[in-house]
Amino acid sequence: MKALVARGYGGVEMLELTDVPVLAPGPGQIQVRITAAGLNPADLRLVSGVFKEAVPLTFPHVLGGDFAGTVTRAGEDVERFAPGDEIFGFGLVRSAGSMASVAAAPPSFTTGTMAEYALFDADTPALEHRPAGLDAGHAAVLPTAALTALPLLRAWDFTRGMKVLVIGAAGGVGGAVVPLLAARGVHVIATAIASDEGYVRGLGAAELIDYRSAEVADESLRRHPNGVDALVNLALPGTSLPAVARAVRPGGRLLNIAFPSPGPDSGFETVYTKARPGDLEEVGALAVKGVLPDTVTRRYDLADAVRAYADLAHEHVRGKLLVAVSPR
């Protein structure tokens, strides 16, 4: 089968589309024909080697974790899924170990989703049946974004009328965070570039601060002199956060998902992607209702997957990038 692999640690130059064996599922595993796979920055961070002490890779390493596809085979002791089931979700490389355990319990492992077929451990809340009415491409970009957004919203009691500054609103996770906050009646102040204003307002943002033309904290305080109720950082590295934290009122909340995370004395709480039982079912229902919109802005065939990751690494990306692996 065709798969996008990394030959070793490094950048996009280490990626290539090549042939790898199709693996049979073992006990507790399912084999899935991948219909579509969503890209995440973490895919490239793993290949870069920044996590190689905690998450060592074996090469060639098949990229990708988010997906939608069809179950083709089920190993022994699998009860949740059967051949023919349409499913979606995410998995991590098996060497992720404790990281995967934090992301889902039982943990979710995969052989890599940028491939025509992938194996998954079946008994995990990070996999779910794809509901009728949810397009496979839409489903394939939801898991990591939405399962990061849900823990963020659970980290504080966001209520109607609150003012929340969202840093990096036009990115992949912003496509879930902004509409979920807006659905609660939160007044979202989004940071993005000017050309993304229509996009983030379409997600539900009430205001935009163009971070290229204004200092974010200064502009936020000019508009809201008493400070905002919370800051949700989806993009800035930890060292940059103290400068924007002053936009938050005393007693407000500071939440972060970005890498590298801020230090323990920063006042920020770092929230991690987490799949709890029922979460993906909720995500699918919200997507069908239109609360979680389809944020795919660029689509590629598997043959162009290297270019897709090059675009992710080197270009301004709005929303999510999607690779169609075996379109139906």
Side-chain angles (χ1 to χ4, degrees):
M1 68 170 179
K2 294 295 183 183
L4 180 72
V5 307
R7 302 186 304 273
Y9 289 117
V12 176
E13 73 281 355
M14 299 302 294
L15 306 185
E16 67 177 0
L17 189 68
T18 189
D19 291 302
V20 301
V22 177
L23 302 176
Q29 293 183 324
I30 53 174
Q31 181 193 76
V32 177
R33 183 178 71 245
I34 303 297
T35 303
L39 281 69
N40 289 297
D43 301 342
L44 292 176
R45 287 197 197 105
L46 282 177
V47 172
S48 75
V50 69
F51 294 130
K52 66 181 177 181
E53 297 300 323
V55 188
L57 301 181
T58 300
F59 298 103
H61 164 72
V62 180
L63 279 74
D66 282 6
F67 80 99
T70 307
V71 177
T72 46
R73 295 176 64 182
E76 295 179 8
D77 303 321
V78 173
E79 298 181 356
R80 286 188 65 205
F81 304 109
D85 286 355
E86 299 288 343
I87 69 171
F88 74 115
F90 79 90
L92 298 176
V93 63
R94 191 164 295 277
S95 61
S98 60
M99 183 185 300
S101 299
V102 169
S108 182
F109 296 114
T110 182
T111 53
T113 60
M114 288 291 164
E116 293 175 318
Y117 292 87
L119 297 184
F120 297 87
D121 290 350
D123 184 21
T124 170
L127 302 182
E128 188 53 78
H129 291 90
R130 175 163 62 90
L134 178 58
D135 175 76
H138 187 179
V141 299
L142 284 171
T144 293
L147 294 174
T148 305
L150 287 180
L152 274 170
L153 269 70
R154 289 170 181 154
W156 203 38
D157 185 21
F158 291 97
T159 56
R160 181 171 299 277
M162 283 186 172
K163 297 180 178 67
V164 178
L165 179 62
V166 178
I167 307 294
V173 178
V177 169
V178 173
L180 289 177
L181 286 172
R184 293 192 180 189
V186 170
H187 182 97
V188 176
I189 304 124
T191 75
I193 62 174
S195 60
D196 288 336
E197 181 167 5
Y199 175 77
V200 296
R201 286 189 181 275
L203 295 176
E207 301 180 43
L208 176 131
I209 296 176
D210 178 2
Y211 63 84
R212 289 183 176 176
S213 63
E215 201 285 325
V216 170
D218 288 345
E219 179 62 15
S220 182
L221 287 167
R222 185 187 69 80
R223 300 181 191 184
H224 306 283
N226 294 326
V228 298
D229 297 293
L231 184 153
V232 176
N233 177 52
L234 309 179
L236 292 176
T239 54
S240 300
L241 293 179
V244 292
R246 59 192 178 86
V248 181
R249 64 168 174 80
R253 197 62 183 270
L254 303 171
L255 297 171
N256 170 67
I257 69 157
F259 173 85
S261 58
D265 298 327
S266 66
F268 278 84
E269 176 187 351
T270 295
V271 178
Y272 298 97
T273 304
K274 177 73 174 179
R276 304 192 316 193
D279 276 358
L280 268 184
E281 184 178 8
E282 178 183 355
V283 166
L286 289 170
V288 171
K289 291 177 183 177
V291 176
L292 286 172
D294 187 346
T295 58
V296 176
T297 57
R298 302 189 202 180
R299 297 172 184 267
Y300 308 79
D301 292 330
L302 183 59
D304 293 322
V306 174
R307 180 166 61 88
Y309 275 103
D311 290 349
L312 180 64
H314 303 306
E315 296 187 7
H316 172 71
V317 173
R318 175 190 303 158
K320 295 288 291 185
L321 306 187
L322 177 77
V323 167
V325 180
S326 54
R328 298 180 64 188

